[in-house]
């Protein structure tokens, strides 16, 4: 993704140095967004070793978007989209919760026989993956990252709280977004057995209850 290209000297900031070899840039950390076709200046990147030795900050702290925090999240080959995830991808989260059993039907609402069954809903959307695999395992593109069982996410603080609670109370799967798709989808219908029964016409019927119950 990095190459040498001719660039007009009068288009550079006064007194700014430039990189003359790709080896001087590859492997460094970007500390600000860099667009395709944009010249890379020394002020845009930082050496990983320098980031570690000049202070207490880790490599990860330099790539967290403003206003967000980094959170590690465990994945499997299934929940992690078949090991397709890479740093820079955006994902959505699907959450399945087991509803609490209802002792009685709500007032003025008939029983369906489906109360208390699991329900699945789209949870967080358009979440940035900062890293696949451990930060000390060699980083993106390494063999360790290809078979990683952990990813690092960039999240709003409230979303980080919600994801932690969801992880402890339900089952979570990730879906990978198409490159360039940042659309937020609203008003999706939660999916439970009743939804599947109606949409795909299984024609299941709830169990009959005796009179007076």
């Amino acid at each position: 993704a990095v190459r040498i290209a001719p660039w007009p000297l009068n288009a550079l900031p006064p007194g700014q140095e430039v990189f003359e070899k790709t080896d001087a840039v590859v492997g460094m950390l970007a500390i600000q967004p860099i667009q395709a076709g944009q010249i890379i200046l020394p002020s845009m990147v930082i050496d990983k070793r320098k980031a570690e030795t000049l202070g207490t900050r880790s490599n990860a702290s330099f790539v967290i978007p403003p206003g967000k925090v980094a959170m590690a999240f465990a994945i499997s080959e299934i929940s992690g989209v078949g090991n397709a995830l890479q740093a820079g991808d955006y994902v959505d989260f699907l959450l399945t919760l087991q509803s609490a059993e209802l002792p009685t039907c709500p007032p003025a609402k008939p029983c369906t026989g489906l109360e208390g069954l699991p329900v699945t809903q789209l949870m967080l959307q358009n979440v940035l993956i900062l890293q696949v695999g451990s930060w000390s395992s060699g980083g993106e593109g390494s063999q360790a990252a290809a078979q990683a069982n952990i990813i690092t996410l960039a999240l709003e603080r409230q979303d980080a709280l919600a994801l932690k609670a969801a992880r402890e109370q339900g089952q979570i799967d990730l879906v990978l977004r198409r490159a360039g798709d940042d659309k937020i989808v609203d008003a999706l219908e939660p999916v439970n057995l009743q939804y599947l029964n109606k949409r795909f016409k299984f024609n299941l019927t709830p169990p009959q209850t005796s009179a007076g119950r």
Side-chain angles (χ1 to χ4, degrees), residues 25-31 45-55 57-60 62-63 131 135-136 138-140:
V25 179
V26 174
M28 300 187 77
L29 286 172
I31 56 177
V45 294
I46 186 171
D47 186 275
K48 292 181 179 181
R49 292 166 298 180
K50 185 177 179 181
E52 293 173 342
T53 58
L54 290 185
R57 294 180 180 271
S58 66
N59 293 344
F62 285 93
V63 296
Q131 177 82 340
W135 288 84
S136 60
E140 181 184 1

Side-chain angles (χ1 to χ4, degrees), residues 18-73:
V18 295
F19 296 108
E20 297 182 351
K21 295 182 179 180
T22 56
D23 292 345
V25 179
V26 174
M28 300 187 77
L29 286 172
I31 56 177
Q32 68 182 67
I34 300 176
Q35 304 299 323
Q38 180 180 359
I39 188 172
I40 302 176
L41 300 174
S43 59
M44 299 178 179
V45 294
I46 186 171
D47 186 275
K48 292 181 179 181
R49 292 166 298 180
K50 185 177 179 181
E52 293 173 342
T53 58
L54 290 185
T56 58
R57 294 180 180 271
S58 66
N59 293 344
S61 67
F62 285 93
V63 296
I64 301 173
K68 296 191 176 183
V69 294
M71 179 178 181
F73 187 83

Side-chain angles (χ1 to χ4, degrees), residues 133-149:
S134 169
W135 288 84
S136 60
S137 65
E140 181 184 1
S142 70
Q143 183 177 1
Q147 301 297 328
N149 59 2

Side-chain angles (χ1 to χ4, degrees), residues 136-180:
S136 60
S137 65
E140 181 184 1
S142 70
Q143 183 177 1
Q147 301 297 328
N149 59 2
I150 190 170
I151 58 177
T152 305
L153 307 165
L155 294 164
E156 302 285 348
R157 286 176 171 81
Q158 188 64 45
D159 289 344
L161 292 172
L163 183 56
K164 174 176 171 55
R167 180 175 59 190
E168 296 178 355
Q169 300 180 52
Q171 177 182 333
I172 297 177
D173 290 280
L174 281 66
V175 290
L176 177 63
R177 282 181 168 246
R178 182 181 183 276

Side-chain angles (χ1 to χ4, degrees), residues 9-19 41-43:
L9 291 176
N10 58 6
L12 296 173
Q16 182 71 263
E17 298 181 357
V18 295
F19 296 108
L41 300 174
S43 59

Side-chain angles (χ1 to χ4, degrees), residues 10 30 44 48 51 53 63 70 83-84 89 104 109 111 116 124 132 137 139 146 148 150 153 157 164 185 193 195-196:
N10 58 6
M44 299 178 179
K48 292 181 179 181
T53 58
V63 296
N83 292 328
D89 285 338
T104 59
K109 184 177 181 181
C111 285
L124 301 177
V132 177
S137 65
I150 190 170
L153 307 165
R157 286 176 171 81
K164 174 176 171 55
V185 180
L193 180 57
Y195 173 95
L196 297 175

